[in-house]
Amino acid sequence: MRVGMLGGTFDPIHNGHLAVAEKARLYLALDWVIFVPAEVSPHKIGSTCSSAQDRFQMVCLAIKDNPHFRASRVDLDREGPSFTIDTLQAIKKE
């Protein structure tokens, strides 16, 4: 199983996010792309407008028509800023 991840604040998610994810999926022959909204982006502390739950719901709505896209709450369900290494370790534990 080949899986890619796309993390970000997704405030809001837009067609550019979806296009990059699909291009990466095709180019890298990925089975899935997992979208991982950040609870707290270390680069945007205090600058998000939408709540984490609203951003997660926006991601779910945006990806619902692509069977190769998934959404993960891994960064939303833990404390602190979202760093890639922490996200990867949390997903590995799952």
Side-chain angles (χ1 to χ4, degrees):
M1 184 73 54
R2 295 177 54 89
V3 179
M5 292 177 51
L6 180 61
T9 53
F10 302 118
D11 194 20
I13 190 167
H14 53 72
N15 287 335
H17 294 121
L18 302 175
V20 165
E22 183 62 12
K23 290 282 186 185
R25 186 186 73 78
L26 294 172
Y27 184 77
L28 298 170
L30 301 173
D31 296 298
W32 294 345
V33 175
I34 302 173
F35 288 74
V36 184
E39 171 71 25
V40 179
S41 170
H43 309 293
K44 297 183 179 181
I45 292 175
S47 67
T48 57
C49 296
S50 304
S51 73
Q53 185 58 34
D54 286 346
R55 291 184 287 112
F56 182 76
Q57 289 302 318
M58 284 190 277
V59 167
C60 290
L61 288 171
I63 69 172
K64 69 181 173 82
D65 293 330
N66 189 321
H68 302 283
F69 290 172
R70 305 280 190 273
S72 172
R73 293 188 54 87
V74 68
D75 281 352
L76 301 179
D77 294 338
R78 63 185 173 82
E79 298 286 323
S82 297
F83 291 100
T84 303
I85 188 66
D86 299 325
T87 302
L88 293 173
Q89 288 173 341
I91 286 178
K92 187 176 178 180
K93 287 180 184 176
E94 291 180 353

